[in-house]
Amino acid sequence: MSAVLNDRDAILQAATVRIVNPKNAWINLLTSAPGFHVTAAGQADLSVVTVTAELFGLDDAVTFSAVGATLSNAASRTVDVTYGGQTAIVTATVMSNGDKFERSCVIPVLRDGAAGAAGQPVYTWIKYADTAAGAGLSDDPAGKAYIGLAHNKSTATESTTPGDYTWALMKGGDGLPGAKGADGITYYTWIKYADQADGTGLYDTPNANTLYIGIAVNRTTATESTTKTDYVWSRFKGEQGVAGATTYTWIKYADTAAGAGLSDDPSGKAYIGFAYNKATATESTTPGDYTWALIKGTDGQPGGKGADGATLYTWIKYSDNADGTGLYDVPTASTLYIGIATNKSTATESTTKTDYAWSKFRGDQGVPGPTTYTWIKYADTAAGAGLSDDPAGKLYIGLAHNKSSATESTTPSDYTWSLIRGEKGDQGVPGGKGADGQQLYTWIKYSNSANGASPYDVPTDSTLYIGIAVNKTTATESTTPGDYVWSRFRGADGVGTAGARGAGHYYATGSTWSDVVAQAACPGSTPVLNDVVTISSSTYVMEKRWTGSVWVENGVVINGKLIAPDSILTTALAAEIIKAKHLSVGAVLASHISVGPSGGLNKDPNFTDYAGSWSPTNAAVGSAGGAAPAPTYLGAFPGMQAFTLANELIPIDSTKTYLLSASVYADGGNDRNCTLLVNFYDGAGNRITNTGWGDANFSGHATSFRPAVGDWRPYRDGVFGVKSAAKKIPANAKTCRVGVYLNGGGSSNTMMGVTALLLEEMIDSALVVKGGIKADNIDVDRLAAIIAYLGNVELGAGGALRQGKPGYGAGKGIWIGDHNNTPKLDIGETGGAGIIWDGFDLVINRPKLASPFSVTLSNVRITQQVNGSTIQFSAPKTITSGSGSYAYSWSFSASGPSSQLAMISSPAAQDAVIKANASNSWLYGYLALTLKDLNSGLTATSNCEIVVQFGSGVEP
């Protein structure tokens, strides 16, 4: 095949000897509870939460730290977090071969709210008196000039203290005698009640079950008809309905019928404007939103005797349509609109819908409205000066409507002010002696029965009904229930039905699935349809959903055609069944492997044993196996060597630069060595040997290194080509093959392996011009650019836009993307100041943190020491941005006996002193430092390699 420049070679990537980049290792944190729990009394009844760290691709010690809580009982993978009065942030840190891995989790505080206080009924008190100060206080209005009201009282027992009431005149003083008027016609209004919508079975006194009221207006006789059709019937008591919307009536005053000079103050205004059924209490300042009418006409010249006055009528119709279509006389339970026509000269009602003004008869269904209040104050001026609750001697009344509190404001501007009594008019023309006036009274009684049985004067907490009789000629109230019209004094209790619980997600702890445990995790131990329960521990997680009868796994089936190649990367894959046409893995642990009729288990055909002329002693190629991913192994006793070379010829250009890399593993040994190799070929296919940086068998040694012990680690320093000073590509080279050479060496056994052998072309950034890379799709592990002009940026599952942060909930910087199938945002420093949106809640953290710092150890390489001599030295260290006050913790490991290479200083010393003594040998060791800043409490780590040569010892 032909190679594609700057792209991974597909065949090399498919080779058996491969590895997932160990930098893809991570930490997962599990909590024993969703958070701390604090009762309504402020007691923490769940004050300790255990955090467990799961390591993937890591096997090093875990260090825990916390903000807002204290830690205890720390074990290798767990720690107990104790409630500290606030939300806690716990961070787990793992240091692995100089690389730092961190993961944080937030443990919130779950608080119970305090129980609300029980609501209290309130009452209105009514008294009568002789003066505006409440003198002559009485329950009987007979002979009294003033009425007193006291609102929102907590008891039904009325006070006898005049100052507890707001007093107002019930009747003004007598006016001047008027002129003799024309004989008038007395009209009567008849009222009947019935249980049927058409008035069948009509009667005089309503009861608790009365459904309909019939009204007949403008009748010339006081004797009420018993004919049901003489009345207009409507609902006396509405059906149980849903809570209606709160509507408002707006009132304004103006100078003209068009609303000019719009004002809230009626002083000097000629017109009043109304706007009905408004959805907001905020009154409009647009005159066109109101219907305008004269408040009072101007005085005219005295006229002659007028003609007999015309009798005017009001027409009322009902309809189910907003424009009055299909109008009718008697409303029903489903009637939606009412039409009113006023000042008509005939009692015969029109059947033309446009003759009426139509409005809602029954409001739309609405949400429960708020409780609102009307405030009343009195004052001396229209600006509210002399604000008082007592109207005595006051000229103006102030009203404030639709207030959310019963506590009245003492700020005058919160009220709309108007005259209580208008200015005195001009002297009128004396009139003739008028007929004797008649004083009328309103009687009020209370009862516990709908028909008024056993009426009484003062209501109590248990009073159910109020009876009112109007236009009575005597102040002595009747004790006959039939003399009153009875209605509800207190509404009946409403009836509601609690809604069913919706599905939720609940959690429990366990190491295996249990239907009993899952059921107990649901509220009331009773699951509802689509409830989801997760049972988990540090080694087990299972999530199931309730179908209404059984628990089923919340599994997801993904079409394999939708999975891109190399898009599933993991250190472990557990499944009952894996079906694939091609499966490339490092190691397979299975109880059963089934191969189809045309299938087979074959080794990767792209790599073969090297068949060149070079055959060192004991050369051999080991077989695949072991716990690490599919390497070639060596049994390392002295002189044991192995090498392999890729079959594929890869096109190459001597004017470019290439990088040859691999991941290598070793489990021990003193003299282990790995060399990445390349063979160049000319246009005729002949191997080129005279490169100057190879040997008789290979054109070049791209890089040679001593693999680290116990860890798969990438080595990416095999650079050769035009940018390399010592490793040039021959000008006549057209193709190449790459390979690897392993040497166990030493005096003890070792096992080594190699995987992910990769040849990549390196692009000189100076050759990339502005706008020179344009593509609909760029598929790379990492893309670095100063400026990228993008259209829509759509992140796939697991995708993210980030700067600084390696992932959600880790590191410092900016991260936005998909985390566990949920869009999330993480800005700032994990465990420090920042903003986190977890897909549900937005959390802003601003703790004050110490400045971070770092420590770096430099490698030590000492050569040509005298055989048998003893030397001592320290590794150079550099500390950046620290406070200067530290605690040191050194550790050292050597590949040989401690008598040859060892640390002789204290692990807590400021500098680590190493002692070396040997003959004709190379000594190897690894030195590590954990440095703690005593002022900030932060830690930093670093490590380095120690290499010492004595005498003529040859480095492998």
Side-chain angles (χ1 to χ4, degrees):
M1 62 171 285
S2 60
V4 179
L5 296 183
N6 198 34
D7 196 5
R8 291 179 176 81
D9 185 273
I11 295 181
L12 286 178
Q13 291 227 35
T16 301
V17 284
R18 68 178 64 249
I19 185 175
V20 175
N21 189 336
K23 294 300 184 183
N24 286 335
W26 74 94
I27 306 170
N28 187 38
L29 295 183
L30 302 174
T31 58
S32 61
F36 305 118
H37 183 260
V38 178
T39 67
Q43 299 297 319
D45 55 2
L46 177 56
S47 60
V48 178
V49 175
T50 300
V51 175
T52 302
E54 293 182 325
L55 304 185
F56 297 89
L58 298 169
D59 192 23
D60 300 270
V62 180
T63 301
F64 292 96
S65 61
V67 175
T70 56
L71 303 180
S72 61
N73 301 326
S76 61
R77 294 290 186 270
T78 63
V79 69
D80 288 342
V81 184
T82 301
Y83 175 58
Q86 60 182 324
T87 295
I89 301 175
V90 180
T91 301
T93 303
V94 175
M95 298 301 305
S96 179
N97 295 307
D99 294 318
K100 184 177 182 180
F101 298 85
E102 283 188 338
R103 187 64 178 267
S104 299
C105 67
V106 176
I107 304 177
V109 181
L110 310 176
R111 301 181 186 272
D112 293 336
Q120 297 295 326
V122 294
Y123 302 88
T124 297
W125 300 339
I126 303 176
K127 292 289 183 181
Y128 304 92
D130 300 321
T131 70
L137 189 75
S138 172
D139 290 324
D140 187 351
K144 302 298 181 179
Y146 290 85
I147 184 172
L149 299 175
H151 302 284
N152 301 317
K153 300 301 180 180
S154 59
T155 175
T157 304
E158 295 181 337
S159 168
T160 57
T161 302
D164 291 341
Y165 296 82
T166 300
W167 297 96
L169 271 172
M170 287 195 296
K171 180 178 70 175
D174 293 338
L176 294 173
K180 181 178 181 179
D183 292 338
I185 300 176
T186 299
Y187 291 99
Y188 299 88
T189 297
W190 300 338
I191 300 176
K192 293 288 184 182
Y193 303 90
D195 297 327
Q196 306 294 327
D198 64 351
T200 299
L202 76 175
Y203 49 89
D204 293 325
T205 303
N207 55 55
N209 299 318
T210 297
L211 296 178
Y212 295 87
I213 184 173
I215 299 176
V217 298
N218 300 320
R219 300 300 176 176
T220 58
T221 174
T223 303
E224 294 182 340
S225 167
T226 58
T227 303
K228 64 183 181 181
T229 56
D230 289 341
Y231 296 81
V232 175
W233 293 95
S234 61
R235 275 276 183 184
F236 180 65
K237 180 189 298 176
E239 297 177 341
Q240 178 69 34
V242 297
T246 301
T247 59
Y248 303 85
T249 297
W250 301 340
I251 303 176
K252 293 287 184 182
Y253 303 93
D255 300 321
T256 70
L262 190 74
S263 173
D264 292 322
D265 187 352
S267 300
K269 302 297 181 180
Y271 289 83
I272 186 171
F274 293 92
Y276 303 97
N277 300 319
K278 299 303 179 180
T280 173
T282 303
E283 295 184 337
S284 168
T285 57
T286 303
D289 291 341
Y290 295 79
T291 300
W292 297 94
L294 270 171
I295 299 176
K296 179 179 67 175
T298 57
D299 293 337
Q301 296 293 327
K305 182 179 179 181
D308 292 341
T311 300
L312 301 177
Y313 300 86
T314 296
W315 299 339
I316 300 176
K317 292 289 183 181
Y318 303 90
S319 175
D320 296 329
N321 299 290
D323 64 352
T325 300
L327 74 176
Y328 49 88
D329 293 325
V330 180
T332 67
S334 61
T335 296
L336 296 178
Y337 295 88
I338 184 173
I340 299 177
T342 59
N343 301 319
K344 299 301 179 181
S345 58
T346 173
T348 304
E349 294 183 339
S350 167
T351 58
T352 302
K353 64 183 182 181
T354 55
D355 289 341
Y356 296 81
W358 293 94
S359 61
K360 277 278 188 181
F361 184 64
R362 177 185 292 110
D364 297 326
Q365 177 177 338
V367 297
T371 301
T372 58
Y373 302 84
T374 297
W375 301 340
I376 304 176
K377 293 287 183 181
Y378 303 90
D380 300 320
T381 70
L387 189 74
S388 173
D389 292 323
D390 187 351
K394 302 298 180 180
L395 298 177
Y396 290 83
I397 185 172
L399 299 175
H401 303 285
N402 302 316
K403 300 302 181 180
S404 59
S405 169
T407 304
E408 295 184 335
S409 168
T410 58
T411 303
S413 59
D414 289 343
Y415 296 79
T416 300
W417 296 94
S418 60
L419 277 168
I420 298 176
R421 180 175 55 197
E423 297 177 354
K424 184 177 180 181
D426 297 332
Q427 179 68 40
V429 178
K433 182 179 180 181
D436 293 337
Q438 186 176 21
Q439 187 170 7
L440 300 177
Y441 301 89
T442 296
W443 299 340
I444 301 176
K445 292 287 184 182
Y446 303 91
S447 175
N448 294 331
S449 301
N451 60 2
S454 301
Y456 48 90
D457 293 326
V458 180
T460 67
D461 291 344
S462 60
T463 297
L464 296 178
Y465 294 88
I466 184 173
I468 299 177
V470 298
N471 300 321
K472 299 301 180 180
T473 59
T474 174
T476 303
E477 294 183 340
S478 168
T479 58
T480 303
D483 291 342
Y484 297 80
V485 176
W486 295 93
S487 61
R488 274 277 184 183
F489 182 64
R490 178 184 294 108
D493 293 336
V495 178
T497 303
R501 177 176 71 83
H505 195 160
Y506 308 98
Y507 300 86
T509 302
S511 57
T512 185
W513 178 264
S514 168
D515 287 355
V516 174
V517 173
Q519 181 171 326
C522 299
S525 298
T526 303
V528 300
L529 182 65
N530 291 326
D531 267 353
V532 174
V533 172
T534 299
I535 298 178
S536 64
S537 68
S538 61
T539 59
Y540 174 82
V541 176
M542 176 57 70
E543 180 179 282
K544 291 190 178 183
R545 178 177 55 85
W546 179 249
T547 66
S549 58
V550 296
W551 293 97
V552 298
E553 291 187 24
N554 249 3
V556 178
V557 177
I558 301 176
N559 188 338
K561 295 180 180 179
L562 302 178
I563 302 176
D566 296 330
S567 63
I568 299 179
L569 304 176
T570 179
T571 56
L573 178 64
E576 294 180 0
I577 299 176
I578 298 177
K579 295 182 179 180
K581 293 182 178 180
H582 174 74
L583 185 65
S584 176
V585 296
V588 177
L589 303 177
S591 59
H592 176 72
I593 297 177
S594 176
V595 180
S598 59
L601 298 176
N602 304 306
K603 74 176 196 177
D604 195 320
N606 296 303
F607 277 79
T608 60
D609 300 342
Y610 180 63
S613 60
W614 182 40
S615 299
T617 305
N618 295 329
V621 176
S623 60
T632 298
Y633 278 98
L634 295 177
F637 39 88
M640 194 61 175
Q641 304 169 357
F643 45 86
T644 184
L645 198 67
N647 289 338
E648 184 188 13
L649 283 173
I650 304 171
I652 201 159
D653 187 339
S654 62
T655 65
K656 295 183 178 180
T657 306
Y658 297 86
L659 172 66
L660 182 58
S661 61
S663 290
V664 184
Y665 173 89
D667 66 357
N670 296 331
D671 301 324
R672 59 192 180 279
N673 180 265
C674 177
T675 302
L676 302 185
L677 308 166
V678 61
N679 267 343
F680 299 110
Y681 301 89
D682 61 19
N686 301 314
R687 184 168 64 87
I688 301 171
T689 60
N690 57 342
T691 62
W693 50 285
D695 55 33
N697 295 283
F698 296 97
S699 302
H701 297 181
T703 183
S704 182
F705 50 87
R706 187 168 185 261
V709 173
D711 182 25
W712 282 95
R713 183 176 297 183
Y715 294 88
R716 298 178 58 84
D717 55 354
V719 178
F720 61 90
V722 69
K723 290 291 184 178
S724 173
K727 300 176 182 179
K728 302 294 185 181
I729 301 174
N732 59 336
K734 301 301 180 185
T735 58
C736 73
R737 296 171 67 193
V738 295
V740 63
Y741 163 67
L742 301 176
N743 185 355
S747 58
S748 60
N749 291 340
T750 186
M751 297 292 285
M752 288 197 300
V754 64
T755 189
L757 185 62
L758 185 65
L759 179 66
E760 300 171 287
E761 180 187 342
M762 302 178 69
I763 297 179
D764 188 343
S765 60
L767 301 177
V768 180
V769 298
K770 179 180 178 181
I773 299 179
K774 297 181 180 179
D776 293 334
N777 180 38
I778 299 177
D779 186 1
V780 294
D781 286 338
R782 185 167 183 257
L783 180 62
I786 298 176
I787 298 176
Y789 294 97
L790 306 174
N792 294 327
V793 178
E794 181 176 352
L795 304 178
L801 297 176
R802 63 184 181 87
Q803 171 62 41
K805 281 184 171 290
Y808 176 76
K812 179 179 181 181
I814 299 173
W815 189 98
I816 180 172
D818 174 81
H819 179 257
N820 294 336
N821 297 321
T822 302
K824 297 183 180 181
L825 170 69
D826 184 358
I827 300 176
E829 183 174 8
T830 299
I835 299 175
I836 296 176
W837 181 61
D838 61 5
F840 301 96
D841 298 320
L842 182 66
V843 179
I844 301 177
N845 297 314
R846 297 180 180 274
K848 184 178 180 181
L849 300 179
S851 300
F853 75 107
S854 63
V855 60
T856 303
L857 296 181
S858 300
N859 292 335
V860 176
R861 183 180 180 89
I862 303 175
T863 60
Q864 297 180 352
Q865 297 301 301
V866 177
N867 282 334
S869 63
T870 299
I871 64 172
Q872 295 183 8
F873 55 88
S874 298
K877 67 178 183 295
T878 302
I879 302 175
T880 303
S881 299
S883 67
S885 179
Y886 310 108
Y888 295 80
S889 178
W890 296 92
S891 62
F892 180 77
S893 62
S895 59
S898 60
S899 60
Q900 294 182 329
L901 189 63
M903 183 175 72
I904 61 174
S905 58
S906 167
Q910 183 170 342
D911 293 291
V913 179
I914 310 299
K915 181 187 74 173
N917 179 286
S919 296
N920 297 325
S921 298
W922 282 84
L923 305 181
Y924 297 91
Y926 290 90
L927 181 64
L929 170 61
T930 297
L931 189 65
K932 181 177 181 179
D933 191 319
L934 297 180
N935 288 335
S936 68
L938 301 179
T939 60
T941 61
S942 183
N943 53 50
C944 68
E945 185 178 70
I946 306 295
V947 180
V948 183
Q949 178 197 30
F950 282 90
S952 59
V954 178
E955 182 177 9

